[in-house]
Amino acid sequence: MAKINRRNSVAVDVGGIRVGGCNAVVVQSMTNTDTADAVSTARQIMDLARAGSELVRITVNNKEAAAAVPEIISRIRDAGFNTPIIGDFHYNGHILLTEYPECARGLAKYRINPGNVGAGRHHDDNFKRMIDVAIENDKPVRIGVNWGSLDQSLLAKLMDENAGLSEPAEAQDVMKEAIVRSAIESAQLAESYGMPRDHIILSAKSSNVQDLVDVYMELARRGDYALHLGPTEAGMGAKGIVASAAALSILLQEGIGDTIRVSLTPAPNGDRSEEVIVAQQILQSLGIRSFVPQVTACPGCGRTTSTLFQEMADDIGKYLRAQMPVWREKYNGVEDMKVAVMGCVVNGPGESKHANIGISLPGTGEDPKAPVFIDGKLKTTLKGASIVPDFIEILSQYVDNRYSQS
């Protein structure tokens, strides 16, 4: 596999985590609790951190939310989590950061949306106040442009200029230019106020995959700011996962992107940490980072009328992810392990041999036995009702023998 060459962006320190430059692409997520409810918000932050979110963003939308930030941070720190917390500000961030200095000090980064930081003649003053607070507290900022809340005065200006051209561009192209300009010009304005470039991250989000790719390609071409990637409002279920994977994979393959978020709409009462798992899987599928051992499993066909291999593949996947918090501390490199759970003799033995450890379960009409391969060689053959626990025991022994740091 060809190595992906990362774009040379300026590195930014976010609460002790280095974003950009030659550093690893960072996974982040966002809570959906009422931030004023410090207990629920802290609990969800910890759930996201356990799932692997390295940065977590929270909404700071009113005085109650700003007042709750110190308690939220205290709760997660007391529980042993060092996850940097990012404050997401819209409309009134300049007021909240000024009136609640403990909130400003506690957050690891401020997200500023130049499309709604203020209106009319107060726009630049409000933006400057947020930058001033960031400088006072030595905090980085993410200047995050969204196509759904784009600076309308800038868009109107560019539309008027375009209309006067002899060959005007399509309206969609003008909007994409407005998104890029809003991000870069806002960053340059922040720098003019004294914000160092190594304290600035940019994002420019759209829910349309092709538009998102075009915008980030242009942002990367025009500057060396660290970039946060993620389609906004990606959607639910398969639609959200596919749209996010499509957009992020194109950009990451080009070396563009320093942090990523998969903005999935969870099912009612669904698990918020799903977006973290999907983001990790995108990076791992591209060979950019490893987070958890990968399970190869066949899709099934007429040769695999039993559901045993499906159930076993699911059980093994859940087992591996559940073990990772312990294994990560104990076993060096275990996240790179490959496991195969196959359903018949056609590809089962071959895939199992290619994995670090694999099992080929019997398909329809095959002998009721399951050969287990370790590092390409037949280790043993399992039979009977205890195949699954027996394989898990062999897997655990393999991990301890192969990856132990002692």
Side-chain angles (χ1 to χ4, degrees), residues 379-398:
K379 169 69 175 178
T380 188
T381 300
L382 302 179
K383 298 180 181 180
S386 63
I387 285 178
V388 176
D390 288 349
F391 181 73
I392 288 178
E393 178 62 27
I394 294 170
L395 172 61
S396 297
Q397 291 176 358
Y398 176 79

Side-chain angles (χ1 to χ4, degrees), residues 118-403:
R121 63 188 178 87
H122 297 297
H123 181 281
D124 288 352
D125 291 341
N126 295 344
F127 179 80
K128 183 178 186 301
R129 184 59 196 138
M130 295 186 75
I131 297 300
D132 286 343
V133 174
I135 293 171
E136 289 165 12
N137 289 282
D138 194 26
K139 304 293 183 179
V141 297
R142 170 159 72 91
I143 296 174
V145 181
N146 272 33
W147 79 320
S149 53
L150 186 58
D151 184 337
Q152 293 302 299
S153 62
L154 174 62
L155 179 60
K157 175 189 173 188
L158 294 183
M159 286 291 188
D160 288 344
E161 291 175 357
N162 183 63
L165 298 176
S166 57
E167 295 184 14
E170 296 288 334
Q172 191 75 357
D173 292 331
V174 178
M175 175 170 277
K176 286 187 282 190
E177 174 63 18
I179 293 172
V180 173
R181 283 249 210 122
S182 179
I184 291 178
E185 291 178 4
S186 295
Q188 292 171 341
L189 187 60
E191 287 189 79
S192 76
Y193 295 148
M195 173 68 74
R197 183 165 291 205
D198 66 0
H199 279 51
I200 299 173
I201 297 173
L202 299 185
S203 68
K205 294 189 173 186
S206 166
S207 58
N208 180 283
V209 169
Q210 292 292 358
D211 288 346
L212 188 85
V213 170
D214 289 345
V215 164
Y216 274 100
M217 289 284 196
E218 192 61 22
L219 270 179
R221 188 185 70 81
R222 294 191 197 182
D224 58 359
Y225 296 102
L227 298 178
H228 167 72
L229 302 186
T232 188
E233 296 108 25
M236 296 184 71
K239 186 269 180 187
I241 292 171
V242 171
S244 296
L248 293 176
S249 295
I250 293 170
L251 292 165
L252 290 166
Q253 189 70 27
E254 292 296 319
I256 297 170
D258 301 296
T259 75
I260 66 170
R261 182 194 172 203
V262 173
S263 300
L264 293 182
T265 304
N269 301 314
D271 187 354
R272 186 68 166 179
S273 63
E274 180 186 14
E275 67 176 46
V276 179
I277 295 169
V278 172
Q280 290 179 330
Q281 191 59 53
I282 291 170
L283 291 174
Q284 190 146 355
S285 295
L286 291 170
I288 294 173
R289 288 187 68 183
S290 294
F291 298 94
V292 67
Q294 297 291 279
V295 178
T296 299
C298 62
C301 66
R303 301 177 64 90
T304 56
T305 52
S306 168
T307 61
L308 176 59
F309 84 95
Q310 298 165 315
E311 294 163 2
M312 187 170 181
D314 185 52
D315 288 344
I316 294 297
K318 290 175 179 175
Y319 172 77
L320 293 172
R321 186 165 284 279
Q323 294 302 308
M324 276 308 294
V326 175
W327 283 0
R328 191 177 291 113
E329 301 299 323
K330 190 176 180 182
Y331 300 119
N332 186 36
V334 68
E335 65 274 6
D336 294 315
M337 182 174 67
K338 303 286 191 297
V339 180
V341 180
M342 304 300 292
C344 80
V345 75
V346 174
N347 292 317
E351 286 286 358
S352 296
K353 289 177 183 177
H354 289 307
N356 294 105
I357 179 169
I359 185 169
S360 179
L361 296 166
T364 304
E366 296 175 14
D367 291 339
K369 59 185 182 181
V372 175
F373 296 86
I374 292 181
D375 293 329
K377 296 179 180 179
L378 179 65
K379 169 69 175 178
T380 188
T381 300
L382 302 179
K383 298 180 181 180
S386 63
I387 285 178
V388 176
D390 288 349
F391 181 73
I392 288 178
E393 178 62 27
I394 294 170
L395 172 61
S396 297
Q397 291 176 358
Y398 176 79
V399 169
D400 193 52
N401 293 334
R402 171 70 183 272
Y403 298 101

